[in-house]
Every structure is written in structure tokens, then in C-alpha cells.
Amino acid sequence: MFLILAFSFVNSALYSQEIKKKSSENFPTKFKDTLKISIKETVKDSLGTKSKDSIIKPVELLESIIDHSADSLIKQDIKKNKIILLNNAHIHYKDIDLTAGYIEINNNTNIVWAKGIKDSIGEYSQLPVFKQGAEESVQDSIAFNFKTERAKIWGLKTEQDGVIIKGEVTKKENDSTIYVQNIKFTTSKKDNPDYYITTKKAKIVPNKKIVIGLSNLVITDVPTPLFLPFAYIPLTKGSVSGFIMPTWGDTAQQGYFLQNGGYYFAINDYVDLALLGDVYSNGSWGLRTESSYAVKYRFSGNFSFKYENLINSIKGFDDYSKTTNYNIRWSHSQDAKASPNSRFSASVNLGSSTYFRQSLNEYNTNAFLNNTLSSSVSYYKKFIGTPFNISLSVTHAQNTNTKSITMSLPSLQLNMDRIYPFASKSGSKNNALQKLGVTYTLRGDNKIDTTDDFFFKKEMFESAKSGLQHNATFSTNMKVFKYFTLSPNANYKEVWYFDRINKTYNAEEDIIVTDTLNKFTSYREYSTGVSLSTTIYGMLKFKKGRLQAIRHVMRPNISYSYRPDFSSFYEEVQQSDDPNDVLEYSPFSNGIYGGPGTGLSNSLNFTVNNTFEAKVMSKDSTKTKAEKITLINNLNFSTSYNMAADSLKWSPVRMNAGTNFFNKKLQLNLNATLDPYAITSNGTKINTFNINNGGSLFRLTNAALTMNYSFSSSKSNKQESKKEQNAKANNSDGIFGENLNNSNSLGSQSDTNNKTVKSAKLYHATFPWKLNLAYSLNYSNSNRQKEISSNSLMFSGDIELTPKWKVGFSSGYDIKSKGFSYTQLRFSRDLDSWKLNFNWVPFGTRQTYYFFIGVKSSMLSDLKYDKRQVPDRRLF
């Protein structure tokens, strides 16, 4: 513990270089006072400004004129060549500014003496405040030589980059070096600080460094047994390289460990790098690199690589095993100002499928609960003066349960924006021909399907599939019967492959042999259609009450689509001794875009979208205008009728609805599938309407209901952004719990930006709180099972027991399985200059805890104690 605390104060990156420089600058046993000033009526010059020559030289004039002022007294002693200022005294000389209750200027010695004065009630006030450039300090008294810029200070109090420094006797040299005796360092802004580090002597170079000797940590004026033989504290405005102190603990399988220890490299203003490592007493180890980079107005991003080599149990035991896991993350974004016509972005998250489950040092809650990893690296370019743009991307999708991986290496897409070849020269489009638009897309893909075992091995590339696809669309629209919009369209698709499937019958073995032929092949297909749409408005008005009207907007759409039969591209192969026993197959079955459609498609599609709104007068009598309230955001129905099918021509009716209540705090979404056809006792669908089979008009085959509700003790009129709304809709706003690492980050925005001072009330105390609820229900009845497939409730929230005590929780309950889901409890205590956090997962496969207490200030952020428990997964 002593070594951890000792090295936590030492920035060894700079110390290793500085200690050589300081070998000749070690502190003397006693300060050699070169500024011996006797505080009497006359201040003697001990600064060495008088010449020792037998011929006394005349006193040189000051380089600049000293401006001075005072409220009560300005006394000039011509005989002694002194000026005395009393009460709010102020002097200014070059970049030096000094205010105090009493100031004495000795023009013979160039020494200024300043101190405070006693006010009417006998308190010592108007302490000297000394400013030079950007530096400022407060002291009990000060003697300063304007010519040599040396000073001696009693009762110094100053602040350097968030560190408050208090010293009894201080000497300032002309090179801005400061020597201090009996000094205290703290980040607490209280008159009686929560804690401080006391030392006998120290050297301070403003904005550069602090070098101190033997020091002791004192908490609430009680000395602790924690001592530090020496320390080097950098005082830099930017980032500084240095060691990162590890977290210690133990686990049942790997033994004692040190985690997250390493070195931080402040490479330059644009990029940094952190190398971190984990060591376990049973031989397990881990390595991580983390880097952030940014170039203003151009791009920014971060990169991390994590690797773990884990040993379980003891060699020779049945449960002994060795596993290696890794994870790579990369995020890159380009500033919109950098290049408006091109864009490069990256979002990479790939690695071992078991990493987030087996890692001993990964506490990303959402990543653990999610079973997919995905990546995308893309480049977009717009060709100025043409309708064309191109995009090149590399994508990756990984299922951590099945360990299957799908990648596109790469995917190329050339797009042509819609052009109107028959538009007038002025650009106006007045008829259907002028509104005729044409679009074109060329897409090329190289797709790879593999697993974790063959990831980035030669077997992975052997299964690659490639192809090119051309798509062209032609569409226009026109008004018919004044209120309807008619939109005809036509589509053409052509696919190119570089191999094909060929099947032959082997009569000797009576099997079908499948070969892959490396040759260029292609197919093409086309379709056409037309849609008719309109908008119908309905209004129901009320003459009494606050409800004035209900408005219904209905948008029906009927479309017709036709696609010929392209079975001519299919081939036949004999599958038995009978020459007439043939099997039809597609030579494009291995292609990434599939093969052409078979069978004639001739269908009608029906869609109806509805919204409902209400106009309600406000309860406030001063408001004369009615408020618009959304009753139902959407109520949509869709189905289709295939005229070319010989049976089951109607497709199921799909319904989805969504609305919100209580000032958009409760979001409700409902979707269902309704099948018009009946089924047999074994669940086979038959070509008989369900109502004709003794049932209802439709069969409810499946349905889903989701609800999200957020409420708190305080009312806020803040409008949520679309990102926040989407997060709530997807239950990703922390309802699964916070990441253990992030919740204990001392550099978070909530800490640094929150300047509000909270205070508690003795009576009518309030306890600010917030609660988030998410409910999900799924119903299945495709085979008359009438089963609730899932039924769960998730909840999370926070409550402030006092202005400085905060408790949070995240959990859920599976109503069907009757068990709690991932649960996390959070406790936070604001200790003014310190912070305490305790995160606890009480049960489950992620059972763990993390305790942290440390100083808030980034300058002394290594003055901390933290301990975490690694989940023991053998029990689950």
C-alpha cells in the first residue's frame, strides 16, 4: 500500500529525466536566506543591491514608473526616500501588480514591503495580493525587490493548476523559482481543508513543476502513517507522460492480480497513447493499448486493442485450460468542414466471440449483454459537376453465440442521382414526361462467410463470393381526378458472376455431382408497376368542453406490380436412372445476390396509414389558442393479393401502431400479424378462409407490445433529441446498467462542468429521483399454441438521498421465467475534494463489485484507493 501511494505521486516519466538534473540542486539542510529583511521602521537592503565598491555609485532610476494609490493615506518621507500607502493600497510596476492594506516603498533599496491591517473589529484584513503576469498569490506579508525581482513571503497561499499551495516562509528568485518551507498541498478549497500533504521544504517552478522532499498525508488534520520520501509533480498546461498506477485484487482462479497499470505517452498535441497491462499470480496476463487522436477541423478518433492470455486452474487438474481472447475497436469521424464532397468514417468492433464473457478486465455492460459485433469502414466521394457519387466500404458482422462471421471485403457502390432527361431547359417539370426520373446503381461485393476458428486464415478467403449488380429505375408521377397521384415505375436488374454451379448425374454411383466452374455468367430480370395514392382528412368538432376537435389523416395507397417468369435461366439435371426424372436447379445458387425469380408475379398491394390528433384548450385562461395533441402517431395496415398464385393469394395483414402519453413520457408500440387463412390440426395452412372454417375473420398469429416510461421528481421542459428518443425506444439509455469503468471516471463531464453548489434543507427536504421502465411482451399463435413467448420488465433509476449521496440501480424481471435479469446497484458519495463510488452486481454470471475512493482533481488523481472483484465464472 505504501509503494502504491508513493509512486502514485511520482510521475516517473519526467522524474527519470529530472532526477539527473536535480542531483546538483538537492535541498540544503537549511535555506540560505539571501533576502534577510528585518521588519523595522527602516527596511535594510540585504539583496545585494548596494555596491561593495569604495566609490558609492548613484542609485539607478527604475526602468518604469511605479503607479500607486491608496484610500486613507499617501505619505512621502523625502528624507528617507520612502512612500507609505495605507488602506486599499495599490501599486503597479511593469507586469507587477500589488494590493494590500499597508505598502511601504523604499526608493533607496528598491524594496517594497506590504502587509495587511486590522479592521474595526480587530481582524487582520486586506492581505497582500501579488500578481505578476498570469501568476497570483495571497500572503500575510511580502517584501519584494523591484530591481532583482526577488521576494520573501510570509503565509503564502497560491494555486497552481488546481493545486492549492500554502507555505509559512517563501523565497522567490529572479528566475521565477520559488523555495518554500513548511508547505501544504491540497485541492480542497475549504479554509480548513479536508486533506493536505505536508512537507518541510519544496521547490516550485510555476507552470512547470513542483519538487518536494519527505511528505506526509494528513486527513482532517490527523496525520496518517503514509509517507512519501520525495515527489515530482509536473505543472503543465497540456498532457504529460507518466506511469498509470494499477488496481489490485484477487480472484479464485487466477489468484492475486494487478490490473490497468502501465504508461501514458503524451506524444504531441494531436495523438496520445496508453500502454496498459494485467498480471496474475497464476501466470495469466493481459495487454491493452489505447490511443486518441484529433486534428482540428479535419478528423478525430480513437483506437484500442485488448489481448488476454488466461490460465484456469492448475496444470495437471482436469479443469485446467488456457484461452486467448482479443478485441479491436476503432472509431474515426471526419469534420464536416474538412471536405464537403468526400467523407471517411470508421466504426470497428471485432474480436473473439468469447471476449466479453471470459475477460477478467472488461466491464462494458451492454457489450456483454449484446450477442453481436459489427464494424464498418467507409469512404464516400461526390463527383462535382456530375450526378455520380461513389462509396467504398468494408463491413463485418459477428454473432458471438454461433461464432459465425460475415464480412464484405470490400463493397463498392456507384450511384447516379435521379436525372430528368425530358425536363425543360429551365428545369421546370409540368407533365408526366418531364417528371420522368432515372436512377442507376452499380454495386460490387466480395462476401466472406466464416467462423472464429478460421478468422483471417487462408480458409477464410477460400469461401469468398464475388459479384456485380446493376440496377436502373424509371419513375414518374401525375395527378389524376384532381385528388389522386398516379406513379408508374419500371425496374431493370442485371447480375454478373465470375463462377457458376454445374450439376451432372453420375450413373455409376447414382448421385448428383456438383462442380463450380470459374467462368463469367450473368442473368437479368425486370419488373414494372404503378401506384395510386391520396390523402383523406377528417375532422370531428365539439362545441362544449376543452376538447375542440379530433383530426384524422388517412393515407391509402394501392399499387400493382408485375414481374415475368425468369425460370429460363434455370437448368435441369437427371437425378435417377429414369431419364425423365429431372431436378431443376439454379446455376447462380452460390451467388451473393441469389438467382432470378421463378414464377409469374402479378400482385396488388394495399397500405393504409393513419394518424389521429386533437385540439384542446389549455387550462390557463390567458391562452386563447388551442394546443395540438397527438393521440396516435401511426396506425398502419398492409397486405397484398397475388393474382398469379394458384392458392393462398392473400398475404397476412400486418398492423403496427404507436403513440405516447403523459407529455411523451410513455411510449407505446404494438404490432401484430393477422392471417386470413385457416390451418389444419397439425398446423398446415390451407386454401380456406378462416371465417369459412368456423373461425374469426383473421387469425392472430403473433403480436408484440413494448412500452417505455420515464418519470422523475422534477419537471423539465427540455425537448429530447432524436438520438435520445431512439435510445429510449431501443432500451439503450442505461436501463441495462452503467459500465463499471465509466461510472468511476473522475474526468467525466458531469463532474467537471457541474458548478452548482448543492445544499440540504432541514425541513420539507426533497429527494430528487428518476425512474425508467421498459416492458416487453411477445405472443405466438402460428400453430394455435397461444403462447406468450417472452414477458419481461426492465427498470433503472437514481435517487439523491442527500445533496451528496446518490444511489442508483438497474435490473429487470422475466415474468415468464420468474427470475431477475442482470442487476447492478450503484452508490456514490461526493466528499467535496474527494469522491467515493461503489458498484455492485450482487448475483449472476457477472457477480462482482468495484470500490473506489480518490481525489477529484486530475493533478492528484493517483491519490486513490480502489479494489474490484473479478467474477468467478466457475460457479455459473
Side-chain angles (χ1 to χ4, degrees), residues 535-550:
T535 302
I536 302 173
Y537 299 92
M539 183 78 72
L540 179 61
K541 296 184 178 181
F542 300 90
K543 296 181 178 180
K544 295 182 179 180
R546 293 177 53 220
L547 180 61
Q548 289 191 339
I550 294 178

Side-chain angles (χ1 to χ4, degrees), residues 401-422:
N401 288 336
T402 62
K403 298 184 179 181
S404 62
I405 300 174
T406 301
M407 303 184 71
S408 64
L409 293 173
S411 177
L412 173 68
Q413 188 161 318
L414 175 67
N415 299 302
M416 183 185 74
D417 296 336
R418 186 180 298 275
I419 61 174
Y420 300 89
F422 302 106

Side-chain angles (χ1 to χ4, degrees), residues 479-494:
K479 285 287 184 180
V480 294
F481 304 116
K482 190 177 180 180
Y483 299 107
F484 295 88
T485 301
L486 186 68
S487 304
N489 65 82
N491 301 278
Y492 175 81
K493 181 174 75 172
E494 184 168 335

Side-chain angles (χ1 to χ4, degrees), residues 253-271:
Q253 289 182 286
Q254 281 74 31
Y256 295 98
F257 64 77
L258 292 175
Q259 288 182 339
N260 304 320
Y263 196 84
Y264 173 78
F265 296 90
I267 299 174
N268 52 43
D269 292 339
Y270 306 104
V271 62

Side-chain angles (χ1 to χ4, degrees), residues 69-315:
S69 63
D71 289 351
S72 298
L73 175 65
I74 300 178
K75 179 181 178 181
Q76 186 168 4
D77 189 335
I78 299 176
K79 183 178 180 180
K80 296 181 180 180
N81 202 9
K82 288 183 180 180
I83 299 176
I84 298 174
L85 311 175
L86 185 64
N87 193 12
N88 290 327
H90 172 256
I91 63 172
H92 181 78
Y93 174 72
K94 294 196 297 187
D95 64 338
I96 296 173
D97 193 89
L98 177 64
T99 58
Y102 174 88
I103 296 179
E104 179 182 302
I105 306 172
N106 191 326
N107 289 320
N108 291 328
T109 61
N110 296 327
I111 293 178
V112 174
W113 163 253
K115 63 178 182 178
I117 60 175
K118 291 185 178 182
D119 56 19
S120 58
I121 59 175
E123 291 187 359
Y124 193 58
S125 62
Q126 297 188 32
L127 299 180
V129 178
F130 181 82
K131 297 180 182 179
Q132 185 172 17
E135 301 301 322
E136 179 178 345
S137 62
V138 180
Q139 44 272 315
D140 291 340
S141 57
I142 181 173
F144 182 80
N145 190 306
F146 275 100
K147 189 170 184 178
T148 63
E149 295 190 0
R150 294 183 177 183
K152 192 167 186 179
I153 304 167
W154 292 264
L156 171 71
K157 181 180 180 182
T158 185
E159 184 173 345
Q160 295 286 334
D161 293 339
V163 179
I164 299 173
I165 303 169
K166 298 180 179 180
E168 288 186 3
V169 181
T170 306
K171 291 197 304 177
K172 178 181 178 297
E173 300 294 334
N174 57 356
D175 60 352
S176 298
T177 302
I178 301 173
Y179 296 95
V180 191
Q181 283 183 328
N182 297 328
I183 190 172
K184 296 179 181 178
F185 299 94
T186 184
T187 58
S188 176
K189 297 185 180 299
K190 297 179 179 178
D191 293 335
N192 187 19
D194 299 326
Y195 79 102
Y196 53 87
I197 302 166
T198 179
T199 184
K200 290 292 183 181
K201 51 191 175 181
K203 177 181 178 180
I204 303 171
V205 180
N207 298 323
K208 290 186 178 181
K209 57 194 172 184
I210 301 176
V211 184
I212 63 178
L214 181 65
S215 307
N216 178 226
L217 176 64
V218 179
I219 300 178
T220 60
D221 292 328
V222 178
T224 67
L226 303 177
F227 287 87
L228 194 67
F230 52 83
Y232 175 89
I233 304 175
L235 298 176
T236 56
K237 296 296 183 182
S239 300
V240 62
S241 301
F243 282 100
I244 300 174
M245 301 313 301
T247 300
W248 60 279
D250 62 274
T251 174
Q253 289 182 286
Q254 281 74 31
Y256 295 98
F257 64 77
L258 292 175
Q259 288 182 339
N260 304 320
Y263 196 84
Y264 173 78
F265 296 90
I267 299 174
N268 52 43
D269 292 339
Y270 306 104
V271 62
D272 64 358
L273 175 66
L275 296 179
L276 305 173
D278 309 328
V279 180
Y280 302 84
S281 58
N282 77 329
S284 300
W285 57 273
L287 177 66
R288 293 196 309 285
T289 63
E290 299 177 358
S291 178
S292 299
Y293 58 89
V295 177
K296 196 173 183 180
Y297 303 126
R298 294 188 64 185
F299 56 80
S300 62
N302 54 74
F303 174 84
S304 69
F305 173 74
K306 303 176 182 179
Y307 183 88
E308 290 187 355
N309 182 41
L310 303 180
I311 300 175
N312 298 310
S313 188
I314 302 175
K315 195 171 185 178

Side-chain angles (χ1 to χ4, degrees), residues 24-39:
S24 61
E25 297 180 353
N26 290 337
F27 291 107
T29 55
K30 294 183 180 180
F31 276 96
K32 296 180 180 180
D33 192 355
T34 60
L35 182 59
K36 299 177 180 179
I37 301 177
S38 178
I39 309 304

